Amino acid sequence: MFRKTSVPEPVDFSNLDLDRFKDGNDVGDRQDNYGPLRKASQCSLLSLDEKRYRWWLPASEMAKNTHNPIRKIVDGMKLTPNPQKEMIALSIGDPTVFGNLKPSQVCLDAVKAAVDSGKYNGYNPSIGYLESREAVAKYSSCAEAPVEAKDVILTAGASQGLDLCIMVLANRGQNILIPRPGFSICKTLANSLGINCKYYNLLPDYNWEVDLDDLQSQIDHKTAAIVINNPSNPCGSVYSKNHLLEILEVAAENYVPIIADEIYANFVFPGFEYHSVASLTTEVPVLSVGGLTKRFLVPGWRMGWITIHDHGNKLDEVRVGLNSLSTRLLGPNSLVQAALPQILAATPQSFFDETIASIKRNADICYKTLRGCPGLKPIMPDGAMYMMVGIDIDKYPEFPNDMAFTEGMVTEQSVFCLPAQCFTYPNFFRIVLTVPEDKMQEACDRIHDFCLAHYRSDQHEHEQMNGANHIK
């Protein structure tokens, strides 16, 4: 078999002895003067009009640079549940896992109607059906930040929305700023494209508000965007209007656009108010990412969207770029798209209220129980589906870090929480609040027992040391 390809800038192989590659040696493993060949890749080798002598199919650089930090950490954990106790997983951010939180009948009926109509079995426009984008525009609009259909790009879940936003704003070698602690998807997406991530810190003692000085210090001439996640995964925080204005002031001073991860929009507990980032600025360009996933309890339907909030036509090229990038996958599922107008317009407020009430009851159970655990510091969330719990790790000498601590909870109590190393924040763990209430209480009681068994106070340590000295 012969194949010939051309390379725009061919590498000079005039002094290369091709016979060296006929013996089956792996070019990619050589550490000699053939480094240029490795960099030129297989295509460059074929440009020499020579036939192949062996199979050599390296993965792309994008594939090699794609890593899921959560999966890597979890796969490396020793998770052997106590066989005497039922496993309770408080680790999975999927509200449908236990079956206690179900989508509304409106959602189900809307998709059934789309299927039965027979009208939505073909390809759809890459940015989404017009009527579906109009529905999202109406759903997302407010007086301070009106949205039209032309401002909406439909995506395969919020994760694809974030992917498109990062791709359209940043180039290889630039950076985006992401929160710490924060969900890892943006790092996974950016690093695969050769885009760097820089972290700005959130402050646990101030209910996870942004450390504004740290945010300012991270911005440089290569910063392409600031990612804000509000309400937050993993923190469950909901930013006040004033705090969002403070963040926007930093962005405006530095002429940096914002990617607003707002998949938990309006998912807030009673007494708190959600403000979209775009509703608070007439200066900073904002790409907002939303979707059905969490609020409508249908993560597997993979329906998300981007809304473009432009001020002064700053995003003209970006708007064109998003339309171009959307053609890579030709839009999300046509049936769910077709159901969007009915889902967004007709889902009753009572459905959302009942979901929030269930999550809030679990948050109350969790907070009340865990704040009585020695060495733990739960931080009460304001919304979303999560609670972060701090560990005074020095009081648990058997466990060097949060990963060992959570492994121990699985081994002894069959309760699995994600160590906050998954969110680049040591000595915390995250609890998902979507389980049935009886399981929530049972899990928290087990965590309490685990803490009592392993906590070592200063006085206890002092008595142990005195006992050891006495024996000597």
Side-chain angles (χ1 to χ4, degrees):
M1 297 288 292
F2 293 84
R3 290 173 60 188
K4 298 182 180 181
T5 61
S6 60
V7 179
E9 297 182 10
V11 177
D12 181 9
F13 293 122
S14 58
N15 296 319
L16 180 62
D17 179 8
L18 286 175
D19 289 336
R20 294 190 59 178
F21 300 99
K22 295 180 181 179
D23 59 4
N25 292 330
D26 191 343
V27 177
D29 290 338
R30 290 189 176 276
Q31 302 297 323
D32 52 21
N33 294 328
Y34 292 87
L37 177 62
R38 295 193 301 273
K39 295 179 181 179
S41 81
Q42 187 180 18
C43 290
S44 296
L45 180 60
L46 293 176
S47 70
L48 297 176
D49 297 338
E50 293 290 335
K51 68 179 182 181
R52 295 174 185 263
Y53 292 103
R54 57 166 298 183
W55 286 102
W56 182 41
L57 303 172
S60 69
E61 290 303 312
M62 183 176 182
K64 292 176 182 177
N65 291 333
T66 300
H67 306 283
N68 184 323
I70 293 179
R71 177 50 51 200
K72 182 177 180 180
I73 290 171
V74 172
D75 285 349
M77 295 178 70
K78 299 174 183 177
L79 301 176
T80 307
N82 183 339
Q84 303 302 315
K85 297 186 178 185
E86 176 193 7
M87 182 69 167
I88 303 177
L90 305 179
S91 56
I92 305 172
D94 181 345
T96 71
V97 168
F98 288 90
N100 55 310
L101 297 174
K102 301 179 184 297
S104 73
Q105 193 61 44
V106 170
C107 286
L108 302 178
D109 290 344
V111 173
K112 290 175 184 176
V115 173
D116 292 341
S117 74
K119 297 178 181 178
Y120 303 102
N121 297 321
Y123 291 118
N124 45 259
S126 63
I127 60 173
Y129 292 126
L130 175 60
E131 57 268 31
S132 304
R133 290 185 288 116
E134 288 174 339
V136 171
K138 183 176 181 180
Y139 174 79
S140 304
S141 285
C142 62
E144 299 81 8
V147 179
E148 300 177 27
K150 66 180 178 63
D151 304 318
V152 177
I153 307 284
L154 298 186
T155 62
S159 56
Q160 193 205 4
L162 291 169
D163 193 24
L164 294 181
C165 290
I166 292 169
M167 282 195 289
V168 80
L169 289 174
N171 291 307
R172 177 179 294 273
Q174 289 188 286
N175 65 72
I176 60 172
L177 306 190
I178 60 177
R180 177 169 52 204
F183 194 59
S184 63
I185 186 66
C186 286
K187 180 177 176 63
T188 298
L189 297 171
N191 288 172
S192 71
L193 299 167
I195 298 164
N196 299 316
C197 290
K198 298 177 69 176
Y199 294 99
Y200 62 87
N201 290 321
L202 307 183
L203 302 170
D205 292 337
Y206 295 88
N207 209 27
W208 302 110
E209 287 190 346
V210 173
D211 183 335
L212 297 170
D213 291 336
D214 187 50
L215 175 64
Q216 176 72 56
S217 72
Q218 300 302 326
I219 298 173
D220 60 27
H221 69 285
K222 291 186 177 181
T223 301
I226 299 170
V227 177
I228 298 174
N229 178 209
N230 179 56
S232 167
N233 174 14
C235 301
S237 54
V238 178
Y239 291 152
S240 68
K241 178 179 180 180
N242 286 339
H243 187 55
L244 287 171
L245 288 171
E246 292 174 327
I247 297 169
L248 284 164
E249 184 178 354
V250 174
E253 287 177 355
N254 293 277
Y255 303 98
V256 179
I258 285 177
I259 299 173
D261 179 356
E262 298 177 322
I263 189 60
Y264 293 95
N266 298 302
F267 206 125
V268 300
F269 296 159
F272 297 91
E273 186 176 358
Y274 166 73
H275 299 276
S276 68
V277 174
S279 69
L280 301 177
T281 181
T282 58
E283 182 177 359
V284 179
V286 177
L287 298 180
S288 174
V289 177
L292 295 183
T293 299
K294 305 298 185 179
R295 193 177 187 222
F296 292 82
L297 305 179
V298 286
W301 290 12
R302 310 311 300 139
M303 178 52 61
W305 52 75
I306 301 166
T307 53
I308 303 169
H309 300 271
D310 196 3
H311 306 286
N313 300 318
K314 302 180 184 75
L315 292 176
D316 281 354
E317 281 196 24
V318 168
R319 187 185 296 272
V320 173
L322 284 171
N323 276 267
S324 298
L325 289 170
S326 72
T327 64
R328 298 170 75 243
L329 293 180
L330 299 179
N333 184 288
S334 61
L335 297 172
V336 183
Q337 278 194 57
L340 263 181
Q342 182 69 6
I343 292 172
L344 296 179
T347 301
Q349 183 61 40
S350 59
F351 168 78
F352 303 123
D353 293 342
E354 289 167 7
T355 302
I356 290 292
S358 176
I359 303 298
K360 177 62 163 59
R361 287 193 295 271
N362 276 347
D364 289 338
I365 290 169
C366 197
Y367 184 75
K368 179 180 179 180
T369 305
L370 297 188
R371 71 177 179 176
C373 296
L376 294 189
K377 183 182 179 181
I379 299 177
M380 183 65 185
D382 307 329
M385 310 186 319
Y386 312 100
M387 177 183 290
M388 287 281 274
V389 181
I391 311 166
D392 186 352
I393 204 68
D394 291 338
K395 303 298 184 183
Y396 294 94
E398 298 168 73
F399 308 111
N401 52 43
D402 54 302
M403 191 158 80
F405 186 92
T406 52
E407 285 176 342
M409 289 200 297
V410 172
T411 301
E412 295 184 21
Q413 298 293 340
S414 294
V415 175
F416 182 30
C417 304
L418 274 188
Q421 285 187 38
C422 293
F423 313 107
T424 66
Y425 209 81
N427 297 330
F428 274 75
F429 60 88
R430 187 194 74 173
I431 290 177
V432 176
L433 301 169
T434 57
V435 303
E437 288 179 43
D438 59 334
K439 290 187 180 293
M440 186 84 264
Q441 186 64 67
E442 172 68 19
C444 289
D445 289 343
R446 292 188 199 175
I447 294 172
H448 185 268
D449 291 344
F450 178 81
C451 291
L452 290 179
H454 295 280
Y455 180 81
R456 297 292 180 264
S457 67
D458 292 338
Q459 179 63 29
H460 183 78
E461 292 169 354
H462 180 69
E463 291 173 356
Q464 283 186 323
M465 291 178 63
N466 282 344
N469 292 333
H470 180 72
I471 291 173
K472 290 179 181 179

